[in-house]
Amino acid sequence: MKMRKRAIRWQDMDKKNTPFNRLIDDFLLTKRSAGCSEKTLSWYRANMMIYLRFLEGEGQPPLLKSFSADSVRRYTVHLQGRRVKFENNPLRRTEGQALSSQSVFGYVATLGVFATWLAAEGYTRDNLLRGVPRPRKRKTAVCGLSREEIERLLSRVPKHTLVGTRDRAILITLLDCGLRASELCDLTLNEARIEESYLKVLGKGNKERIVPVGAAACRAILRYRDFFRRDQGKPAPNLFLSVHGGRLNPEALRLMVQRLAKSAGIKGVTVHKLRHTFALQYLMAGGDAFSLQKILGHTTMDMTRNYVNILPAQLVEKHRLHSPMDRMTIGYPSTKGRTDGRDEC
């Protein structure tokens, strides 16, 4: 009697020699189908390629069998000791600067997500990085611009030119709404409900949220939209346009903010710092952390809690304004006629 050959099952196949590049492509395809944004996919790919170059530098073959807990530990130490901040970037290559703890954490965290995917897809029997601790992130107090710096920054923007009106509207919107660079650049005319004082913003993970807009920001946006915005004959859906009438990209926005900050004599100003400034000013004005979480688009309170680490002097001032007991009319009980020396309880 002739015996039938048993079919080879996926879990029984030897996959150790699978090329790493193919695994990266499959990993990104899975993430794309799950709804990850192009920015997130690019971030994943860039991080994975940095690890792949590390393997090649060690003389390891670019195959699945080279991916291990020991390899990731050595990679972490390599990143922590690296003294080139922007590797393989001729425009931003910075010698003598170490990677921040947040950057190292992000690179290693990507490998953690990759290891989870490998186990889920059956490339490995278990998660190879289970139990491997991730590097710690240094917690730093979030800093923003002062009111004087905000006024100085806005004073450097012309009020009566096309570019000046646009830049002023952008800065006021960033400071009033706390948008990310990509969120502001992707904002469309239809999503900017200025007459109703809110924006429909598409944030990370393609999640839409409602962001309220104050009166000053509404006036600045309307002035730009109704009198200065020009798409130069090519209908463009975006609210804020480049000088050529197309979509304003995040890199151009970053350069614009840096240029104006340099003109105002303020160092270290980025689009994200304007987001920090909004969050801190919002809390100082009496806003609560839960509504701030919704406005910023944070999925959990973990990120929002960073903004509660305000400087002690600011906390004292905030408590002076919002002290529960100071806001109530409380009188001390009278002790007239008491002889036992005790206060009433």
Side-chain angles (χ1 to χ4, degrees):
M1 182 175 171
K2 202 171 185 181
M3 296 193 58
R4 285 193 307 172
K5 227 182 210 182
R6 189 165 66 93
I8 300 177
R9 298 182 302 173
W10 169 253
Q11 54 265 41
D12 296 328
M13 292 181 182
D14 185 3
K15 297 176 280 290
K16 293 181 180 178
N17 291 317
T18 306
F20 218 83
N21 276 319
R22 184 189 300 172
L23 291 171
I24 292 174
D25 290 340
D26 289 348
F27 168 69
L28 293 176
L29 182 62
T30 302
K31 291 300 177 183
R32 187 188 299 276
S33 65
C36 286
S37 67
E38 290 300 321
K39 186 176 180 180
T40 300
L41 294 172
S42 297
W43 185 74
Y44 276 140
R45 178 178 288 281
N47 290 356
M48 293 299 298
M49 294 309 294
I50 291 173
Y51 174 70
L52 184 56
R53 287 194 294 271
F54 166 77
L55 289 179
E56 293 171 346
E58 279 198 328
Q60 299 288 334
L63 304 173
L64 175 58
K65 64 183 179 182
S66 299
F67 183 64
S68 66
D70 285 341
S71 170
V72 172
R73 290 189 186 98
R74 293 195 304 273
Y75 175 62
T76 303
V77 173
H78 163 75
L79 291 173
Q80 290 169 335
R82 205 173 87 180
R83 290 298 178 268
V84 180
K85 194 166 187 180
F86 301 106
E87 200 173 49
N88 296 317
N89 187 336
L91 297 178
R92 302 183 68 186
R93 188 177 175 85
T94 310
E95 302 285 351
Q97 287 190 23
L99 292 174
S100 68
S101 59
Q102 285 84 356
S103 295
V104 175
F105 180 89
Y107 291 144
V108 178
T110 298
L111 296 181
V113 176
F114 180 66
T116 302
W117 174 81
L118 287 174
E121 293 292 319
Y123 284 103
T124 58
R125 292 186 180 279
D126 298 300
N127 187 329
L128 298 177
L129 300 187
R130 182 178 287 121
V132 177
R134 292 179 182 177
R136 292 184 178 180
K137 289 191 291 186
R138 181 183 176 187
K139 291 187 177 181
T140 56
V142 177
C143 297
L145 301 182
S146 66
R147 292 177 67 90
E148 184 272 331
E149 287 174 326
I150 293 173
E151 292 173 357
R152 189 154 30 113
L153 182 63
L154 292 174
S155 71
R156 307 306 300 173
V157 188
K159 297 180 180 180
H160 306 297
T161 65
L162 187 153
V163 175
T165 304
R166 182 204 64 177
D167 292 352
R168 187 176 182 82
I170 286 174
L171 287 177
I172 293 176
T173 301
L174 290 172
L175 289 164
D176 195 60
C177 303
L179 302 184
R180 300 179 178 95
S182 59
E183 292 172 347
L184 182 126
C185 293
D186 290 338
L187 188 64
T188 67
L189 282 168
N190 292 334
E191 292 164 342
R193 308 291 179 83
I194 307 305
E195 287 78 9
E196 299 164 79
S197 300
Y198 73 85
L199 309 173
K200 288 177 67 177
V201 176
L202 190 64
K204 286 186 175 180
N206 288 324
K207 294 179 182 177
E208 191 176 80
R209 69 182 189 277
I210 300 299
V211 177
V213 188
C218 283
R219 288 196 300 271
I221 294 173
L222 286 174
R223 179 176 172 79
Y224 165 69
R225 187 195 71 180
D226 296 344
F227 297 100
F228 289 90
R229 183 182 177 277
R230 299 287 184 272
D231 54 22
Q232 298 186 3
K234 298 178 182 178
N238 300 84
L239 172 62
F240 295 109
L241 304 179
S242 69
V243 292
H244 303 293
R247 173 184 176 271
L248 178 69
N249 66 66
E251 182 62 17
L253 174 61
R254 182 182 70 83
L255 292 174
M256 180 269 284
V257 170
Q258 286 184 346
R259 172 176 54 81
L260 292 174
K262 184 178 181 180
S263 175
I266 309 171
K267 295 182 178 179
V269 181
T270 63
V271 177
H272 214 68
K273 189 163 188 175
L274 299 182
R275 179 172 163 89
H276 292 332
T277 301
F278 156 74
L280 292 173
Q281 291 292 333
Y282 182 84
L283 290 173
M284 288 299 297
D288 64 276
F290 293 103
S291 60
L292 178 62
Q293 177 192 354
K294 298 299 182 184
I295 294 172
L296 293 176
H298 292 158
T299 53
T300 68
M301 282 295 293
D302 292 340
M303 287 294 296
T304 312
R305 286 193 190 97
N306 291 332
Y307 296 108
V308 183
N309 297 326
I310 307 174
L311 297 176
Q314 293 173 309
L315 285 175
V316 170
E317 180 62 26
K318 188 173 178 64
H319 185 271
R320 185 179 293 116
L321 293 172
H322 302 286
S323 168
M325 294 297 97
D326 288 354
R327 295 167 69 87
M328 297 175 65
T329 54
I330 298 177
Y332 288 100
S334 173
T335 57
K336 187 176 181 180
R338 297 291 296 269
T339 59
D340 55 7
R342 292 179 300 164
D343 292 332
E344 293 182 2
C345 297

